[in-house]
Amino acid sequence: MKVAVIGQGYVGLTISAFAGQHFEVVGFDNNQKIVDRLNSGVSHIEGVESAVIQQLIKASRYRATSEGRELGNVDLVVIAVPTPLTPDRKPDLAYIDAACKTIGENISRPVLVINESTSFPGTLRSYIKPAIEKYSKEKIEHLYAISPERVDPGRGDFNQKNTPRLFAGLTPEASEKTRDFYSKFCHELVEVSSPEVAEAAKLFENTFRQVNIALVNEFAQIAHSLGISVYETLDAANTKPYGFMKFTPSAGVGGHCIPVDPTYLAAVAEEHGAPATFIRRANEVNLEMSKYVADRIQVENGGTLEGKSVLVVGVAYKPNVADVRETAAEPVIEHLRARGAVVSWHDEVVGTWKGATSSPLAGAEISVVVTKHDSVKEADVIASAPYVFDTTGKIKGVHGL
Ligand SMILES: NC(=O)c1ccc[n+]([C@@H]2O[C@H](COP(=O)([O-])OP(=O)(O)OC[C@H]3O[C@@H](n4cnc5c(N)ncnc54)[C@H](O)[C@@H]3O)[C@@H](O)[C@H]2O)c1
């Protein structure tokens, strides 16, 4: 069986690497640089080793392409393209639409189309299927299914094999073929009764995290105003063996999922006349954390940051990855600069960001830890400035939330 995976980013390359162990995979991406790097055996994604790509290329089980016509003879297509927000924070299905166009224009025999991109309930049935039919020259009866991706890039304990995978087809035949495909490399498959349930479950998983993060971020502010340690209080609450799950405060949430997916859920809820006030407010609380952090640092530094050198440590959105999408470091830096601080940043995992390179972890008046990679030594952070504010709670004996 030949498989095409549209989008060779975090999700698409990861699935290609697993599928490539069992099928012949064509990785389609419209970014030529990514295609060239992959074909030269270099992975750009944490968790996908270059050696795996090289081994698949050698065994003729993988190649990357930006040519739509190379999809002409595949049996199964996985869609793994971005689903961001528009500038006015509405679901942006433009990438999904482009993927549908690629499928419609290049595949002229029935295949199984599986969407792994995160989107609102109804996307497969009411958007992807009609879009592919619109772009196809003739009427082709493709099979359609959804299997929302749950990969957590950079994570060692859970991967494609041992993370249960939700799926549902638009028809029983689509469900059956989807099960056959994933069962080759995933140990636990969970079929739900409709694509809409699978789509909604994925959004709810991330919304659950978003609102709990917002709750603990709000609680961090309450604890500080009460003069108690948020971390000690959370550890104390966490001794309850049931009915509690510990989340930790931060400078905000980043990445492609938590700041984005709940807005997909809120948008579709509001379209159907259902309130999503809780989800909307959680998003605001998380966005406001960067200002709260800058305010705290200003207050604790004599009320002004004018002309002070501030080093932001860790600009990736989470530890041990180079991904800076929606990183909380960005609004933190903006708030510090708005207060007159001279801001630089240190992150050797990210290396280059917005045309600048990582500064040394030393010589600042104030250091603010937004993300702590494992490779960053606690002692080096402490020595980097006379005042250190740690938003992660990982560095002992310094200022923090
Ligand atoms: N990154 C995660 O941790 C994660 C986890 C679960 C689900 N998801 C979801 O998976 C989807 C993909 O996310 P990602 O993190 O892999 O994104 P990504 O930005 O890492 O990769 C997307 C890739 O798609 C390519 N692309 C864009 N438009 C294209 C098109 N029309 N044709 C071909 N290629 C195209 C881009 O060049 C890029 O390489 C999103 O819906 C996301 O919400 C992501």
Side-chain angles (χ1 to χ4, degrees), residues 5-14 28-32 34 44-45 65 79-84 94-100 102 115-119 148-153 202 206 255-257 260-261 264 317-318 323 325:
V5 180
I6 302 190
Q8 291 293 282
Y10 283 92
V11 168
L13 189 63
T14 307
F28 176 83
D29 202 292
N30 58 4
N31 182 328
Q32 191 60 46
I34 289 178
H44 60 300
I45 297 297
T65 184
I79 301 175
V81 294
T83 44
Y95 297 90
I96 294 265
D97 188 67
C100 292
T102 300
N115 180 37
E116 287 207 15
S117 298
T118 306
S119 186
E149 184 51 69
R150 289 167 153 171
V151 66
D152 186 5
K202 168 71 192 179
N206 283 349
H256 189 44
C257 295
V260 174
D261 298 352
Y264 270 65
Y317 86 85
K318 68 174 183 177
D323 194 347
R325 289 178 294 182

Side-chain angles (χ1 to χ4, degrees), residues 80-379:
V81 294
T83 44
L85 297 173
T86 57
D88 57 345
R89 296 192 67 80
K90 301 238 165 62
D92 180 357
L93 296 193
Y95 297 90
I96 294 265
D97 188 67
C100 292
K101 192 164 189 271
T102 300
I103 295 169
E105 288 180 348
N106 294 288
I107 300 182
S108 52
R109 62 196 181 103
V111 299
L112 171 61
V113 177
I114 304 176
N115 180 37
E116 287 207 15
S117 298
T118 306
S119 186
F120 50 80
T123 301
L124 183 75
R125 193 186 302 273
S126 310
Y127 194 93
I128 291 178
K129 182 173 185 282
I132 292 176
E133 288 172 351
K134 179 181 80 183
Y135 290 119
S136 302
K137 281 185 213 89
E138 44 199 286
K139 189 156 174 51
I140 304 158
E141 295 293 336
H142 293 306
L143 297 173
Y144 293 91
I146 170 83
S147 183
E149 184 51 69
R150 289 167 153 171
V151 66
D152 186 5
R155 191 172 187 126
D157 50 352
F158 284 101
N159 57 33
Q160 300 282 340
K161 271 192 187 150
N162 62 359
T163 306
R165 178 170 277 279
L166 297 179
F167 74 100
L170 272 185
T171 59
E173 191 187 356
S175 299
E176 200 187 310
K177 290 200 163 165
T178 304
R179 178 185 289 279
D180 288 348
F181 172 60
Y182 288 111
S183 62
K184 296 284 187 302
F185 52 94
C186 178
H187 295 163
E188 197 180 332
L189 293 166
V190 183
E191 183 174 352
V192 292
S193 66
S194 71
E196 286 74 14
V197 170
E199 289 165 326
K202 168 71 192 179
L203 291 185
F204 189 68
E205 287 162 21
N206 283 349
T207 303
F208 172 85
R209 281 179 58 74
Q210 178 225 27
V211 296
N212 278 287
I213 292 167
L215 180 63
V216 80
N217 278 337
E218 185 168 271
F219 182 64
Q221 299 174 50
I222 295 170
H224 178 71
S225 67
L226 295 175
I228 56 175
S229 159
V230 63
Y231 299 108
E232 190 187 352
T233 313
L234 290 172
D235 285 343
N238 202 31
T239 59
K240 185 178 177 185
Y242 51 88
F244 183 79
M245 187 181 281
K246 186 176 156 185
F247 286 79
T248 46
S250 57
V253 288
H256 189 44
C257 295
I258 311 293
V260 174
D261 298 352
T263 304
Y264 270 65
L265 187 55
V268 74
E270 286 156 6
E271 235 171 61
H272 286 75
T277 41
F278 200 54
I279 300 172
R280 295 283 188 201
R281 182 61 197 135
N283 188 47
E284 284 165 10
V285 170
N286 289 331
L287 288 172
E288 287 159 9
M289 278 311 281
S290 51
K291 180 177 178 298
Y292 174 76
V293 166
D295 285 345
R296 283 275 308 277
I297 294 168
Q298 180 171 345
V299 168
E300 291 173 19
N301 281 275
T304 177
L305 295 178
E306 195 63 51
K308 290 185 177 146
S309 65
V310 181
L311 183 68
V312 169
V313 182
V315 297
Y317 86 85
K318 68 174 183 177
N320 310 324
V321 299
D323 194 347
V324 290
R325 289 178 294 182
E326 308 268 337
T327 174
E330 189 167 351
V332 166
I333 290 173
E334 280 166 13
H335 283 296
L336 293 167
R337 286 198 174 132
R339 287 159 176 74
V342 181
V343 185
S344 55
W345 57 269
H346 169 85
D347 192 324
E348 285 177 357
V349 177
V350 171
T352 307
W353 180 46
K354 295 179 155 223
T357 49
S358 172
S359 299
L361 180 54
E365 288 172 84
I366 295 169
S367 283
V368 186
V369 184
V370 172
T371 299
K372 190 190 163 300
H373 299 299
D374 291 348
S375 55
V376 172
K377 292 196 182 71
E378 209 173 303

